[in-house]
Amino acid sequence: MRIRASVAALSGTLVLASALVFPAAAQAHAGPMDSDDTTITKVVVNGGKDIVLGTSAKQSFTATVTAADPDGVTGGWVALWHGTSFDDQGRDGALFPAEQGSGSCVATSAQTSTCTVHFTVDPTADMTKNAYAGTWHAYAIAYGRPSGSTSDGYAGSVHIKRNTTLTANASPEPVVHGRTITVKGALTRANWETHAYAGLSNVSVKLQFRKSGTSTYTTLKTVTSGSGGAVTATTTATSDGYYRFSYAGTTTTDAATSASDFVDVQ
């Protein structure tokens, strides 16, 4: 795990709670702190979408802070933190953007600007515990003219999730009408501690079917994944069509849908 001494040097890096150094405005204020009428109106991380990480591929995304000041906004900045509370005892990690200072800002009026910062997360270096999966909060700071500022340790949030994979194979192919079709697959999830995928057991997985010539899938039944993430479901052959498995996901684990497998019914 890479550790730096100050925010100015922290770029897309996860650091331990003991090494976190937020700007001075953050130290005593978990909630909004106004000076000179500067206000934060909105923070959006990754366009409002979940961040999904596997075991090795880096992922880049942006965060934006929209702020207002009667005299105009000169800058804005966002960092992400994980834990039970914003204070030093509650935080167990943080992700800092590539920008060492304020992000690039675009004025939408004389009083309001939206500033953008860029992140790159490397799961092999930044996500060292599976416990990091879940809600990450956004700490934002905005600067107004001539010297005002405001910060908020709970300005927004985003889910950072572990990636999943899901397969499906239906047999026999072809099959006689009225006979049993067995669909087998495997559900696996990224393990950030071993940097490998492992079976995800004891979760609900849906068997879905799309009749040939149609565009809509129907859920036939729900089964529970077994040891090693193994998934098995049976159904009766009634018509040609496509079978697949679907997993809904959670706040810590991404959803997954397998590729479809076509079965010819004779």
Side-chain angles (χ1 to χ4, degrees), residues 3 15 39 50 54-56 60 66 68 85 87 98 103 112 115 146 150 173 182 190 210 231-232 239 247 257 262:
I3 299 177
V15 290
T39 59
D50 297 336
T55 58
S56 60
S60 297
T66 302
S85 63
D87 57 60
T112 304
C115 303
T150 185
E173 302 176 63
T182 301
R210 176 171 67 86
V231 184
T232 302
S239 59
Y247 168 63
T257 299
F262 177 77

Side-chain angles (χ1 to χ4, degrees), residues 81-108:
W81 62 272
H82 181 270
T84 57
S85 63
F86 184 75
D87 57 60
D88 291 341
Q89 291 73 35
R91 295 192 307 258
D92 62 3
L95 289 166
F96 290 86
E99 287 81 359
Q100 295 184 3
S102 175
S104 59
C105 299
V106 176
T108 56

Side-chain angles (χ1 to χ4, degrees), residues 215-263:
S215 59
T216 303
Y217 278 89
T218 300
T219 297
L220 300 180
K221 62 174 61 176
T222 300
V223 297
T224 301
S225 60
S227 177
V231 184
T232 302
T234 59
T235 187
T236 301
T238 57
S239 59
D240 294 353
Y242 301 83
Y243 293 89
R244 72 182 187 184
F245 284 124
S246 180
Y247 168 63
T250 67
T251 57
T252 62
T253 303
D254 195 35
T257 299
S258 71
S260 300
D261 193 16
F262 177 77
V263 176

Side-chain angles (χ1 to χ4, degrees), residues 98-164:
E99 287 81 359
Q100 295 184 3
S102 175
S104 59
C105 299
V106 176
T108 56
S109 72
Q111 295 77 35
T112 304
S113 293
T114 296
C115 303
T116 302
V117 296
H118 299 79
F119 292 81
T120 297
V121 180
D122 181 354
T124 64
D126 299 329
M127 293 291 145
T128 56
K129 296 191 296 184
N130 292 325
Y132 285 139
T135 301
W136 283 68
H137 297 280
Y139 163 73
I141 187 168
Y143 302 96
R145 291 187 177 91
S147 59
S149 67
T150 185
S151 67
D152 189 351
Y154 296 88
S157 64
V158 65
H159 286 125
I160 300 183
K161 297 184 177 182
R162 297 160 66 183
N163 188 44
T164 54

